Structures are given as structure tokens and as C-alpha cells.
Amino acid sequence: MISSYETAANLFAENELCRQFIETSPDAIVIIAPDGEILAHNTKARKLFGYQDKPILPQNVLETYRDPADREKLLASLLKYGFVQEFETELLTQTGEYITASVNVSISELDGRKVHIATVRDISARKAAEEDLKKSESKFASLFEAASDAILLLNKTGQLVGANQAAVKLFGYSKKEFLELSFGSLSPSVQPAGGVSAELFAESLSEVLEGAKKQLLWQSQAKDGSLLDCNIALNMVEVSHEVLIMCVVSDLSEQQRIQARMKLDEIRFEALSALSRMNESSLNSIFDYALEAAVSITESEIGYIYFLNKDETVLTLHAWSRSVMPQCSVAEIPDGYKVEDTGLWGDAIRLRRATIINDYAGCPHKSGTPEGHVPVRKHMNVPLINEGRIVLLAGVGNKRTDYTDDDVRQLTLLMEGMWNVVCRKRADDALRSAYYSMEQKVLDRTEKLSSALADLKKINSDIKRESIQRREAEKQLQASAGRLSLATRAGGIGVWEWDVAGGILIWDDRMKQIYQYDPDEFDGSYEAWTNQIYPDDRKKVEYTLSETIASGGHFDFEFRIIWPDGEIRNIKTSALAIYDADGNVQSVIGINLDVTDRRRLEERLRRFKRIISVTPDLVSLINADYEYVMVNDAYVKSFGKPREYFVGHNLGELIGHEAFEACSRQKIDAAFAGETQVMEAWFDFPEVGQRFLSVTYQRVDSEDGDEKFVAIAGRDVTAMKVAEEDRQHIFEVSLDMLCVADYEGRFVELNPAWENTLGWSEEELKCQHWIDLIHADDKAKSIKIMADLLSGAVIRNFENRYLCKDGSWRWISWSMHADPDQEKITAVARDVTMQKRLMDDLKRLASTDPLTGANNRRCFFDRAKEELDRFKRYGGSLCIMMLDIDYFKRINDTYGHDVGDIVLKELVRCAHEALRTSDVFGRIGGEEFAALLVHGDARSALQVAERVRRSLSELEVHTSGKVIKFTVSIGLTWISRDTPSIELAMKHADRCLYKAKESGRNKVVSNC
């Protein structure tokens, strides 16, 4: 019996035409029995399924389906319709990979038996491309909606087919409303520069459809009828196989407002700069200048300044602006007003904020003005608040246009700048007065000290002897401290790292020595370390470590460990947690130092210092009956009594029982109980007069411990007390920020100027680390300066930015000194924010032409000389170009100087676009400009000059409904290594410029 497979094979062998058709087919062809048996296939089928090296495919087609349910769906459709077209499914290849295939199946007969003839095509690449297309369209839609500029999509006729959210916000139409509009609906009938909007846009649309890209200055119209000055960019795009016009609309109104604000900022800066130079002027002159500047900067006609008393109830007039008095005919102008009696102009005080009234006549709450008062049309005033109190009220009026928040800002900043100058002047005057007063006090004190000098000479020899003894003791103490320092430096530091996730500790050899571990015995486990920590310290250590990991940063503390032999050791550790990009802790790294010997030595030194501390000055010993047992020589000499006067006598009898019970007895009893007592007070001595003593009460036991005494040591700290009082006075009144900090960067003491300047209270500053308040860009250099300071350097005038409580930043100038003995840092900090701003603005104004923004004459020559020096040193090429506007006087005479200024600005903008980034361009004077062309040969320089001339001749300046065109003449000269100076090269270029003028203008003349 012949099988179906053999029958199909014989058919192909006998029918050459059938075989060639199947073999040459571009698709895979498979003949399949109804039960799924593969009867025949072509070469393309073997290639598609990856069976090139095998003569046949799998026996049954079911083996190739990824989802057998797809086979059932295909058979159902085949049974119903008799054929299946473009059925998509996933099929398994010989390599184990799946392909997406499109299958066409029809039913046929072979020797009277039904068979399925299937063509299979691999569409994996097509499906992937379709998916990429969907993602691309989705990405375009997301970018379209997220764009900050308004974007409109138009068809070829200019009808809107889409708009993003920014367009909805700009024009006020909903997306649905946009679809009913054309671009012409969003424009006025005529553009300001001239021309019908519809005709201009149709012309631009035609050019874009031909492949061009267009960018236009355009006036659009919003839904509410308001006009918008815009920049529109037109570009042809293809979206979902449809050609559309993408119109990007950029609103220029904000840019125009920024330019106007910058101009006002420049005027205000000039006024503040002038105010900062009025240190020697009177306060009235400062106020008068600021008032006139306020009128000018707000473009007002009138202005005034009133001062407020401390409880903010009475206004006192300083002055009206100069322009007011000739217009005012009020019989008698009051010097002051009660705030409660003021009308609208007093609302700024009652509300504690600026007020604006742009329709004074129509305001229903006005109280009116007295007869003869200057007519008021518009009014604005601002209260100046200093340290929570309104100190003055500044107002302006009768601006031609409405007052805005920008006017409030300019007037407020001007008044604040003026007040800073006033406060600085008052502070300087106060300091000068304080200095003279302090100098007189010093003279008086010097006289008193001179009178006491004779008495001090009497005991000078004894002081010298005791001073020698003290120096000898200090030498011994320094020797001991030196030995202690050498012993400390000799100690090694152990380094460790803890892998938190793996729970593994990595120790270096020194760590193992510190913990007395054999190098081969330490297993690196966390428990191996914690088991050796002293039990009372274990919880503290683990808590500190976990807190560091949770909160970030580092820790630095001491704990105890137990050696294998039972000895307890003190360990100082410092560690830092390391985190990954997601904020998860990776590891903790740190160091250990065995400080046991250091701690023991410090304890011995402390005992030694206590002994030394009671020896130099007034020392006495009191027994349990409050009787003197011993007094030293200094004690005897200070009181002018023999030793027998004290020894054996009761302390209460000598100083009086009332004074004894009130003070001395309580402190002596506390000292007998083991509590050391200290007090400071003024004392009257027969021999040396009134002195300020620091008195210490401390228990001293006899050698056998049977008897107890109290040692009373009094140290003369009069000079220190007086100096401290003087220092504290200066500390409190200084306008500079004075502080004392420890070596860890924590504030210990601050004067009130800190809170006045930065807003932080003393308690808030003491709770913060100094580095936390420094600007991120200044931290690295600030840390380096601190390292230099602690290494012995004296820091003067170091500047960084410090954070204020309100979130702003202030520039601070520091002068610092470190005291290594007390581990304290003394610093004087001064707020130099205003100076920094003035210097930055001065630098900018010193190098920039204020009208056009180009380099000014001085800056251009400085840059040109630098390039000439570089050219002579390293070679290259250099050309200089002089440029002058042709018939510029006609423009000024015809349109006015304000339009001439606009032409100059547009010239600079256009020239910058035409020049290369390496070229130097500047305004030399009037309508004359110059450019230094760096790099390139004479030919390229001539090309650049010609490009500048052509760009300027094509430039159109639109202003007040007019279009202004102009030309320029250019002179170009080559600079050689023999050229002695830029000035000489400029003369050569100037000659070429005038040749261009004489030969007809609007051309480039070169001698290159």
C-alpha cells in the first residue's frame, strides 16, 4: 500500500511543472494531511523552519505551533469557508526560536484524498517595525503635549487639525474649538509691520510646502481679543502618513517684560552705586538723593518720604520730591500725621505691605486732598520694614502708565539699599563715638594703674621668684605632655570595613593586634567583634551603629573591649556609612585606635594639674573646726597681716560671722562632703586694694586618711575680668558678626549681629554644624581653609556664601584665628553681599556697552591686545574690521534717537549672528563698531566681512509700524607680526573704512 507521503512525492517527481512552481515560490509551501501529517514541502519551507541540513520537516505540523489552540482556530475557519487567508500565529523553528508567520490555507485533492495546501510567510520583521512605529507615534504625541511652547498642527490649507496644551493656555481656545479654526482666525487682519496677515501667511505656507523652513515675527490674537507679539516657526512634518504643517508659537511678551525690568535694574543699580559712595554725606542728602531716584526709576512725577516713630503711630515728613513744590500751593504743609488719621495713603502701614491705586479719582474710599495739593491721578507707596518694625514710608505718584508689581519691587529694593547705607553710616558714627569713649576710659585706667605701680613694685621680687617656680613647673608639665604626645603618635590605627548585606567584617593586621586576635583565628563575623565589646557598652555601640546607617553620615565615639586575658581597653572609633544610588546602605568603613594608655595618662595629668592649680596665688588650709591650719606667703602679703594672725583662728571670727554663715560655711561644708566649690567675687585687700578673685574650695585628706581639710585657693583675675567686660561690651555692640567656635565646627558663642544679619537665633546656630550652612559650591574651599587654619595659618578676608533663615544666601567675609591650647576658633565675619553685588555689576558695566550689550571700547581694546600678544607668541592669523552705519544721522533725524538706538541694538544682534564665535566684536563709539577676526587667512576674513555687510543690508528693523533698512561700510586690514600695536592696526582699518565711504558706501574695502 502506498502512503500519502509517497503519493505526494511521486506527484512532484512526475509533474515537472508542479515541482518548479513549488520550488520557485517566494513563500514556504507545505502540503498537509487533515490529521496534520506533513506530506510535502519546498526548499523555502526547510529554510524558514531552520531545516536546511535535513531533507524533511517534522512529521506533524502540530509540532510547530506555539499555541495548539491556533491550529484549532485555523481548521475551524477552513471548514467553514474552505480557505484561510493571512492567519497570524507563532511557529517553532529547528533552533528553538519562535517566528511570527502569516499562513494562507486552501483545501485540494490528491489521488481522491483531501489535503491542505499552506503557504507560510515570516512577518516577524514587519510586526517589529509596526510596533516601533506605534512607539514612535506615541513618543511624538507625548513630546507634542509636553512642549512648553504652543504648537499648532495645520493641514495644507491652513486649517487647524491639532493643538497642544500650551496652545490652549496661550490662546484661550479649547482643543475642540481649535479644530473649527484656521490660522487666519488667530491673527489680526493686518500685521504691525505692514501687510495683510492672510496674504503673508499664505505666502509662507506655500514656501514651507515646497520644503523651506520659515521663522517669522508675528502678531497673534487670543480668544479674548488681546494681541500677542510672537515668534512663529513653520516646518513640514509627516504624522501617520499625512503631510502636516507644524507651527511653533513662542510668546515674546515675557521676554519684552524681562528687558524692561533689566533696564529698570540698571537705573536702580546706578542709584545704589551712587548711594554707596555717599558715606561722607549727611543723612538728609542720602534721603533726598534716594527720593529723586525713586521718582525717576518708577517714571513718576511726584514722590515723598515719611518716617515713623517706634510704635508706628505717627508719620513725620522728611521731604517731597523737587518736582512737587512748584506745583503745590497748600498754605501750610503739616510736618506730621497720626497714622489713624491718614486716608488711603496710610493703608500701606495698616496692611504692612505695598499698595497701588491706578484710578485715584474713581476710588470710593479716598479722603481727598487739601486745597492747593498737587492733583493725584495714580499712587503707590511701600513701607520699609527693618527688624520687624516699619521705619519709613516711601511713595510715588502720577505715573503715565499703571503701576505694577515691578514698580513695587524697584522702589522696595531702592529703599532697602538706601536704608543699608544709612544703617552702615549710623553704625560707623556709633563705632567712632564708642572708640573715642573707650580711648578715654583707657587713659583713665592707665592713670589708675600708674598710681598702683608703686605698690606693685614692693612685691615684684616675690612675684618674680614665684614666676620662676611656675615656669619650671610648666616646663615639667610640657615635658610630660610631650612624652604623652610621642606615646600617642606611636600608637597604630586599625582599619575595618563591614559588608552590611553579607554580614562580613574585614580587618587589617593592626585591628587584629588591637583586639588580640591571632591573624588566622578571626572569622570575619559580626558576632566575633560584638562578643569582645564590654557588656555595658555593647547596646550603646550597636545603637549608634544602627542610627548612623538609618540617618546617614558618620559617628565618632569611644567604647571598651575585653582582651582574652580579661584586661579592659579603651577604643576610639570613627566610621562612615556608604550608600548606593538608591539610598541603600552598602557598607560601613571605619578606624579603631587603642586609646587606653592615653586615657590613663590623661587621668594622671589631671591629678597633677589640680595640684599645680592651687599653688600660685592665695592658698589657705581649713580644718573641720573652720580654723586656719596654713596660709601661704601670697595670702599673708595680700592681707598685710602676720601668719600668726590667721593660723589657729576661726575663719568666722576674722571675716565676720554674718559673712561666714552667708557664703563661706556652705561652700566649706560642701567641700568636706567631697564637692569641689568655686566662686568669683570682688574683695578689698589692705595692701593691693579691690581685686576680683576666683576662689576654689577643695577637700584634702591627710596621708593616713584620719583627718580632713579644705584647701581654699584664690586667684587674682582682676585684669581678666576687666578685659572680659570690655570685650563683652564690644562683642555685644559690634555690627560685625563675632563668634567663638570649637575645633569640631560648632558655635560656642555668638554676638547679636548674627541674628540681625542671617535671621538665625543664637540657639539655632549652636545646634547646627558650620559646614551645613555653607553654599554647596563653596564647601570644598571652606573645608580647605579650615584645615589651613587648624594647621596654624591666620585667615583674613576669606569669602563664602552663608544660608539665611529665610532661604536666601549672603556673602560673608571671614577673618579667623585658631587657639590650639583651648581648641577654640575666634572669627570676625562681615556681610559683604551688597559689595559683591556692586562689584559684579560694576565689572559688567565696565566691560559692556549699556545700550547695545556689545563689548565697550575699553573691553574691546583689552581683548584685542590679548589676542595680539597671543598671535605674536604662538602664530596664526589676525585681521581687524572697522564698521560704520551709512547715513545714520538721517535715521536719527527722521525717526528720532530712540529709533536710532533700536537700529544700533539690531545691528549688534545681526553682527553677532554673522560673526564666528571666536571673533571679538565691540562698539567703539556712536555708530562705529569694530571686530577682531581670529584664525583664518585673508580670503576667509574678507568672506566674513562680506557676510556681515550683506546680512546688515538685508536686515529690516520694525518699529512703530515702520520698516527701516540701512547699509554699512567696512574697512578690513591684515595684522602682521611686525604690527606694533592694535591702535596702529585700527588706523589702517579706519583708512579702508573711509575709502569705502568715499567710493559709494555699502561695501568692504581691504588692504589684506
Side-chain angles (χ1 to χ4, degrees):
M1 181 176 180
I2 300 176
S3 66
S4 297
Y5 180 82
E6 291 173 342
T7 300
N10 292 336
L11 175 65
F12 289 166
E14 294 172 0
N15 193 328
E16 178 64 22
L17 180 61
C18 180
R19 186 185 65 79
Q20 287 185 3
F21 170 74
I22 291 176
E23 284 299 324
T24 59
S25 173
D27 296 324
I29 298 178
V30 184
I31 299 177
I32 308 164
D35 61 358
E37 180 186 2
I38 297 177
L39 303 177
H41 55 78
N42 64 356
T43 304
K44 290 288 176 62
R46 291 203 304 275
K47 184 177 180 181
L48 177 66
F49 288 96
Y51 287 85
Q52 295 94 325
D53 54 346
K54 295 184 180 181
I56 60 174
L57 296 179
Q59 291 185 356
N60 198 295
V61 74
L62 287 173
E63 299 177 25
T64 65
Y65 278 87
R66 181 169 192 168
D67 186 356
D70 284 355
R71 162 77 172 167
E72 298 300 327
K73 294 177 183 177
L74 185 146
L75 290 177
S77 296
L78 188 62
L79 181 63
K80 183 176 182 180
Y81 301 107
F83 64 91
V84 174
Q85 289 185 335
E86 296 185 357
F87 181 82
E88 294 185 5
T89 185
E90 289 187 312
L91 302 177
L92 178 67
T93 66
Q94 192 266 342
T95 61
E97 298 178 351
Y98 286 96
I99 62 171
T100 303
S102 175
V103 182
N104 296 314
V105 184
S106 64
I107 301 175
S108 185
E109 287 190 2
L110 183 62
D111 285 345
R113 300 174 61 183
K114 288 186 178 181
V115 294
H116 299 164
I117 300 176
T119 61
V120 185
R121 178 173 295 174
D122 185 359
I123 60 171
S124 301
R126 190 187 78 192
K127 297 294 287 185
E130 289 175 353
E131 187 63 29
D132 290 343
L133 181 60
K134 290 179 181 178
K135 292 180 180 178
S136 176
E137 291 179 350
S138 175
K139 183 177 181 181
F140 172 80
S142 299
L143 292 175
F144 178 76
E145 280 301 326
S148 58
D149 285 331
I151 301 179
L152 305 173
L153 291 178
L154 299 84
N155 61 18
K156 294 180 180 181
T157 65
Q159 183 69 27
L160 270 71
V161 297
N164 67 350
Q165 192 60 38
V168 172
K169 182 178 179 181
L170 178 64
F171 289 97
Y173 292 101
S174 67
K175 290 188 176 182
K176 184 177 180 181
E177 290 173 326
F178 269 122
L179 299 181
E180 300 174 357
L181 303 174
S182 66
F183 187 82
S185 305
L186 303 178
S187 307
S189 58
V190 178
Q191 288 296 306
V196 178
S197 298
E199 295 176 357
L200 292 173
F201 184 75
E203 180 182 349
S204 299
L205 186 64
S206 176
E207 293 179 18
V208 173
L209 290 173
E210 292 176 359
K213 295 182 179 179
K214 294 290 290 184
Q215 188 165 345
L216 306 170
L217 289 175
W218 194 262
Q219 190 174 76
S220 299
Q221 188 169 21
K223 183 178 180 180
D224 60 5
S226 60
L227 298 178
L228 307 172
D229 290 328
C230 303
N231 182 60
I232 64 171
L234 300 173
N235 190 20
M236 186 168 60
V237 296
E238 184 174 334
V239 179
S240 298
H241 308 295
E242 182 183 2
V243 174
L244 298 175
I245 306 300
M246 182 168 68
C247 176
V248 180
V249 184
S250 300
D251 186 6
L252 299 179
S253 57
E254 181 62 24
Q255 179 181 347
Q256 293 168 349
R257 285 194 295 272
I258 291 174
Q259 290 176 346
R261 180 180 290 185
M262 289 177 63
K263 184 174 182 181
L264 290 177
D265 285 342
E266 288 182 5
I267 298 173
R268 174 173 52 81
F269 165 75
E270 292 175 359
L272 289 175
S273 178
L275 283 170
S276 67
R277 297 191 296 271
M278 297 177 68
N279 289 335
E280 301 303 323
S281 303
S282 67
L283 290 178
N284 285 339
S285 298
I286 294 174
F287 292 137
D288 290 342
Y289 183 87
L291 178 57
E292 296 303 322
V295 172
S296 174
I297 201 173
T298 58
E299 300 177 331
S300 302
E301 295 179 3
I302 60 176
Y304 61 82
I305 291 180
Y306 277 84
F307 292 102
L308 263 76
N309 61 347
K310 288 186 177 181
D311 59 3
E312 301 181 8
T313 58
V314 177
L315 285 159
T316 303
L317 175 66
H318 165 70
W320 282 85
S321 58
R322 287 193 297 265
S323 60
V324 172
M325 301 317 296
Q327 307 176 51
C328 182
S329 60
V330 175
E332 184 177 353
I333 300 176
D335 291 335
Y337 293 91
K338 290 183 178 180
V339 174
E340 61 184 13
D341 296 336
T342 59
L344 288 176
W345 67 287
D347 284 348
I349 300 173
R350 290 184 283 270
L351 300 175
R352 305 185 73 80
R353 60 174 173 80
T355 61
I356 295 177
I357 301 173
N358 284 319
D359 182 14
Y360 186 83
C363 187
H365 305 298
K366 66 179 184 295
S367 300
T369 56
E371 183 178 355
H373 193 279
V374 177
V376 178
R377 301 186 304 276
K378 303 177 188 291
H379 176 261
M380 177 191 77
N381 59 0
V382 297
L384 180 60
I385 301 176
N386 183 56
E387 297 181 353
R389 183 177 71 83
I390 300 177
V391 294
L392 65 81
L393 181 67
V396 291
N398 294 351
K399 183 180 178 180
R400 293 180 181 176
T401 58
D402 284 351
Y403 287 107
T404 66
D405 289 341
D406 276 345
D407 295 312
V408 172
R409 171 179 170 271
Q410 294 293 345
L411 182 57
T412 301
L413 290 175
L414 178 65
M415 290 297 110
E416 287 177 349
M418 175 206 72
W419 193 253
N420 287 335
V421 173
V422 170
C423 290
R424 176 66 66 180
K425 177 175 176 59
R426 288 175 175 173
D428 290 343
D429 293 343
L431 282 175
R432 191 177 295 111
S433 175
Y435 171 77
Y436 293 145
S437 176
M438 187 66 68
E439 189 176 54
Q440 186 59 45
K441 288 182 179 180
V442 170
L443 292 174
D444 295 341
R445 188 165 294 143
T446 300
E447 184 177 349
K448 292 179 181 179
L449 290 174
S450 297
S451 64
L453 183 60
D455 297 333
L456 291 175
K457 287 181 178 179
K458 182 179 178 182
I459 58 174
N460 185 52
S461 60
D462 294 331
I463 292 176
K464 287 183 178 179
R465 176 174 55 79
E466 292 182 7
S467 177
I468 292 171
Q469 293 175 351
R470 184 179 301 174
R471 284 198 296 270
E472 186 64 26
E474 288 176 351
K475 288 180 181 178
Q476 294 177 5
L477 182 59
Q478 290 174 356
S480 297
R483 289 192 294 272
L484 175 61
S485 177
L486 289 173
T488 302
R489 287 197 299 269
I493 295 175
V495 181
W496 58 272
E497 180 175 358
W498 178 32
D499 181 354
V500 177
I504 299 174
L505 277 171
I506 302 172
W507 283 6
D508 67 356
D509 291 339
R510 179 56 189 163
M511 281 290 293
K512 295 172 183 176
Q513 293 174 9
I514 291 174
Y515 284 80
Q516 293 288 289
Y517 263 110
D518 187 287
D520 298 329
E521 292 180 357
F522 180 64
D523 62 4
S525 67
Y526 180 79
E527 290 74 16
W529 170 57
T530 57
N531 289 339
Q532 205 165 341
I533 298 175
Y534 190 75
D536 292 348
D537 295 350
R538 195 171 297 156
K539 287 186 179 180
K540 174 186 174 184
V541 172
E542 292 183 336
Y543 174 78
T544 304
L545 186 59
S546 63
E547 281 294 302
T548 299
I549 294 174
S551 60
H554 69 279
F555 65 83
D556 188 353
F557 67 97
E558 289 187 21
F559 61 93
R560 293 167 291 177
I561 64 171
I562 305 176
W563 275 0
D565 60 3
E567 183 179 351
I568 297 175
R569 306 291 293 180
N570 291 79
I571 304 298
K572 181 177 177 61
T573 184
S574 294
L576 177 70
I578 306 298
Y579 300 85
D580 61 18
D582 297 326
N584 300 317
V585 65
Q586 290 182 317
S587 63
V588 181
I589 59 174
I591 60 172
N592 275 187
L593 178 65
D594 188 340
V595 295
T596 307
D597 294 337
R598 182 190 301 176
R599 296 294 173 259
R600 292 171 180 171
L601 182 58
E602 287 173 353
E603 181 60 30
R604 289 197 296 270
L605 285 174
R606 280 194 291 271
R607 289 198 299 269
F608 181 61
K609 288 179 179 178
R610 281 199 297 270
I611 296 172
I612 294 298
S613 66
V614 297
T615 57
D617 301 310
L618 310 185
V619 180
S620 61
L621 201 64
I622 304 296
N623 62 17
D625 296 326
Y626 309 111
E627 295 177 347
Y628 283 101
V629 177
M630 183 274 294
V631 293
N632 69 347
D633 292 345
Y635 202 97
V636 171
K637 292 177 181 177
S638 296
F639 282 95
K641 302 291 184 181
R643 199 178 305 275
E644 294 77 13
Y645 178 82
F646 300 99
V647 177
H649 293 84
N650 188 277
L651 178 61
E653 297 176 356
L654 297 182
I655 68 172
H657 289 288
E658 185 176 348
F660 174 74
E661 293 294 336
C663 180
S664 300
R665 184 186 186 114
Q666 179 183 0
K667 297 191 177 298
I668 293 173
D669 289 346
F672 273 123
E675 300 177 7
T676 300
Q677 301 289 304
V678 179
M679 65 167 288
E680 292 183 347
W682 288 96
F683 294 88
D684 288 319
F685 293 98
E687 297 298 323
V688 297
Q690 192 177 53
R691 311 298 293 172
F692 190 81
L693 296 186
S694 175
V695 184
T696 304
Y697 300 80
Q698 186 172 355
R699 191 179 77 182
V700 178
D701 297 343
S702 62
E703 292 184 3
D704 54 12
D706 295 336
E707 192 171 3
K708 294 179 174 57
F709 304 92
V710 170
I712 304 176
R715 173 162 296 176
D716 185 356
V717 292
T718 306
M720 186 184 303
K721 177 67 174 177
V722 173
E724 174 63 22
E725 290 176 350
D726 292 343
R727 185 195 74 83
Q728 189 62 31
H729 177 71
I730 296 174
F731 191 80
E732 293 293 333
V733 302
S734 174
L735 291 178
D736 287 328
M737 295 180 286
L738 310 179
C739 69
V740 178
D742 58 24
Y743 271 25
E744 298 298 323
R746 299 285 183 183
F747 290 109
V748 177
E749 188 176 2
L750 305 103
N751 71 336
W754 284 85
E755 183 171 1
N756 297 337
T757 303
L758 302 179
W760 301 103
S761 67
E762 182 176 356
E763 291 73 18
E764 289 172 326
L765 288 171
K766 287 182 177 180
C767 292
Q768 301 191 63
H769 198 280
W770 67 275
I771 196 68
D772 296 337
L773 298 175
I774 295 175
H775 195 283
D777 295 343
D778 299 337
K779 283 189 178 181
K781 65 178 182 179
S782 300
I783 292 173
K784 182 180 181 303
I785 283 293
M786 286 301 296
D788 294 343
L789 177 67
L790 298 182
S791 299
V794 176
I795 307 302
R796 290 188 176 89
N797 301 325
F798 167 70
E799 295 180 354
N800 61 12
R801 284 163 288 184
Y802 232 61
L803 178 65
C804 297
K805 189 172 182 179
D806 61 5
S808 62
W809 296 91
R810 309 292 293 179
W811 276 99
I812 305 298
S813 175
W814 296 85
S815 295
M816 296 179 282
H817 172 72
D819 184 350
D821 295 331
Q822 297 186 17
E823 294 190 351
K824 292 290 191 297
I825 299 171
T826 305
V828 178
R830 176 168 292 177
D831 181 4
V832 294
T833 305
M834 182 63 72
Q835 293 91 317
K836 292 286 288 187
R837 290 175 181 168
L838 292 178
M839 288 304 298
D840 290 343
D841 289 342
L842 286 173
K843 288 178 181 178
R844 178 176 59 80
L845 291 176
S847 62
T848 306
D849 176 45
L851 173 63
T852 64
N855 293 321
N856 61 17
R857 180 183 182 90
R858 184 178 67 179
C859 180
F860 175 81
F861 273 94
D862 290 343
R863 292 280 304 280
K865 289 174 182 177
E866 292 175 1
E867 292 295 339
L868 180 60
D869 292 341
R870 186 179 295 109
F871 163 66
K872 290 184 176 181
R873 187 179 299 112
Y874 302 111
S877 62
L878 210 59
C879 289
I880 199 160
M881 179 177 79
M882 293 287 291
L883 179 153
D884 189 88
I885 302 178
D886 298 329
Y887 303 113
F888 182 66
K889 187 175 183 300
R890 293 182 184 176
I891 296 176
N892 280 335
D893 294 344
T894 303
Y895 302 103
H897 288 278
D898 55 339
V899 175
D901 290 345
I902 296 174
V903 170
L904 292 175
K905 293 177 184 178
E906 286 297 299
L907 180 147
V908 170
R909 181 190 61 77
C910 184
H912 274 304
E913 293 176 354
L915 290 169
R916 303 165 300 185
T917 57
S918 59
D919 299 331
V920 181
F921 184 73
R923 183 184 182 190
I924 305 304
E927 68 272 24
E928 193 173 43
F929 298 83
L932 189 69
L933 308 182
V934 184
H935 307 309
D937 53 16
R939 180 181 178 186
S940 66
L942 191 59
Q943 290 174 345
V944 171
E946 184 61 33
R947 182 168 68 244
V948 172
R949 184 202 64 77
R950 186 172 59 256
S951 297
L952 293 174
S953 67
E954 296 172 354
L955 177 65
E956 293 183 352
V957 181
H958 297 265
T959 175
S960 301
K962 304 178 181 65
V963 179
I964 301 172
K965 294 178 65 69
F966 63 91
T967 62
V968 297
S969 299
I970 298 176
L972 182 68
T973 188
W974 180 265
I975 298 178
S976 68
R977 292 199 176 204
D978 298 330
T979 302
S981 66
I982 287 294
E983 287 79 5
L984 181 61
M986 292 280 285
K987 289 181 180 178
H988 292 161
D990 200 42
R991 293 193 189 102
C992 293
L993 170 63
Y994 279 96
K995 287 181 181 179
K997 292 276 190 182
E998 293 170 355
S999 59
R1001 292 181 167 81
N1002 191 23
K1003 62 177 60 180
V1004 178
V1005 174
S1006 168
N1007 65 0
C1008 296

